[in-house]
Amino acid sequence: MRRESRLAALLWLPVNAVQGLFTLLWTAVGIPIALAVALVARRPAPALWIARRIWAPGLVWGAGARLRVSGTERLDLSRPALFVANHQSWIDIPALFMALPVPLRFLAKRELAGVPLLGAYIRAMGMVFIDRDNARRARASVDCAVGVLARGGHLVSFPEGTRSRDGRPGPFRSGGFGAALESGVDVVPVALVGPAAVLPRDGFRVRPGRIEVRFGTPIATAGLSRHARAALARRAESAVRALLAGESE
């Protein structure tokens, strides 16, 4: 990434301050509305539509980002699937919401359950909290994910477990792949290119740019052993790395 001059960084400060305030207000207003809609509708689908068509586009627009999506012709969105993506930035989430025309649910860190409003939203949308430090809760997380997939849902996981510091993907952890193996759904590799340049991991230094969401060929899990998690994780990681490199995998 090209280094930015100190003057340019100073000139961006007031712009980023406005963008930061917009992001906070947009989310602080959007979450209660989504929760109210879900409560009235007695199901999360309408609220997830709001996330895909209103909340996410607002954040991407507010960041001055342009979204490019490729590889959707490889997907059968009438079937449930586990999407596994590299993780660069918080803007990955709105980019993925926009990239797929279906209700998306995410695997979320257990720590987010305690965040005001956000924790309630994640829970109400039927998303799955994961806890890798507790074996019993980790097993419960897999059971919840299997339930989402068994009901025909589309689930997104960031198997690195955290956002990359340098934009390059880290090793994929195998835990979340158990849900795909137990439910027999395809695992879809997804490469996110450019989010770290738009919104880096540390701080709120937003810059205009292009975000690409590249979908790879789904990996079938039907017939695989439940003990194949590590091998499946390695295969998915290789597929994501190939997509990041611009290779056809």
Side-chain angles (χ1 to χ4, degrees):
M1 187 183 300
R2 187 172 60 187
R3 290 182 61 86
E4 188 175 66
S5 71
R6 182 171 297 182
L7 176 60
L10 288 173
L11 292 174
W12 272 107
L13 284 177
V15 177
N16 287 169
V18 172
Q19 289 172 314
L21 181 60
F22 169 77
T23 298
L24 289 174
L25 291 175
W26 190 251
T27 301
V29 171
I31 286 179
I33 291 174
L35 289 172
V37 168
L39 181 63
V40 171
R42 296 185 179 180
R43 58 193 184 97
L48 290 171
W49 181 92
I50 291 173
R52 177 169 63 87
R53 298 301 298 271
I54 299 174
W55 175 76
L59 292 186
V60 171
W61 171 83
R66 308 178 308 281
L67 187 68
R68 182 177 183 270
V69 181
S70 62
T72 52
E73 70 279 358
R74 297 168 170 163
L75 310 180
D76 180 1
L77 294 177
S78 67
R79 300 170 55 193
L82 174 68
F83 295 86
V84 293
N86 61 306
H87 198 12
Q88 295 186 8
S89 165
W90 281 114
I91 208 167
D92 295 348
I93 294 170
L96 286 165
F97 264 127
M98 292 177 65
L100 287 165
V102 292
L104 282 185
R105 292 174 173 85
F106 289 78
L107 291 174
K109 290 182 178 181
R110 170 62 60 180
E111 292 84 350
L112 296 179
V115 178
L117 282 181
L118 181 59
Y121 174 82
I122 293 172
R123 190 175 292 105
M125 295 305 106
M127 300 190 192
V128 180
F129 289 111
I130 54 174
D131 188 338
R132 297 185 177 92
D133 298 325
N134 181 291
R136 181 179 59 82
R137 287 201 292 260
R139 178 63 249 180
S141 298
V142 172
D143 291 340
C144 289
V146 170
V148 170
L149 296 168
R151 293 189 292 272
H154 297 83
L155 192 60
V156 178
S157 172
F158 297 114
E160 294 166 85
T162 188
R163 289 166 289 157
S164 169
R165 289 191 176 277
D166 58 8
R168 292 179 293 184
F172 278 16
R173 301 181 181 184
S174 63
F177 290 89
L181 289 167
E182 292 188 28
S183 55
V185 304
D186 289 351
V187 171
V188 181
V190 187
L192 294 161
V193 181
V198 173
L199 179 60
R201 170 190 165 119
D202 298 317
F204 196 81
R205 190 192 64 82
V206 183
R207 299 294 183 268
R210 185 171 74 176
I211 298 172
E212 293 187 51
V213 182
R214 303 172 181 171
F215 294 100
T217 302
I219 302 169
T221 66
L224 294 180
S225 165
R226 292 187 179 184
H227 302 292
R229 292 188 317 177
L232 182 59
R234 289 195 299 270
R235 184 176 174 187
E237 181 185 334
S238 295
V240 170
R241 288 181 181 275
L243 287 167
L244 287 168
E247 301 172 13
S248 177
E249 49 75 44

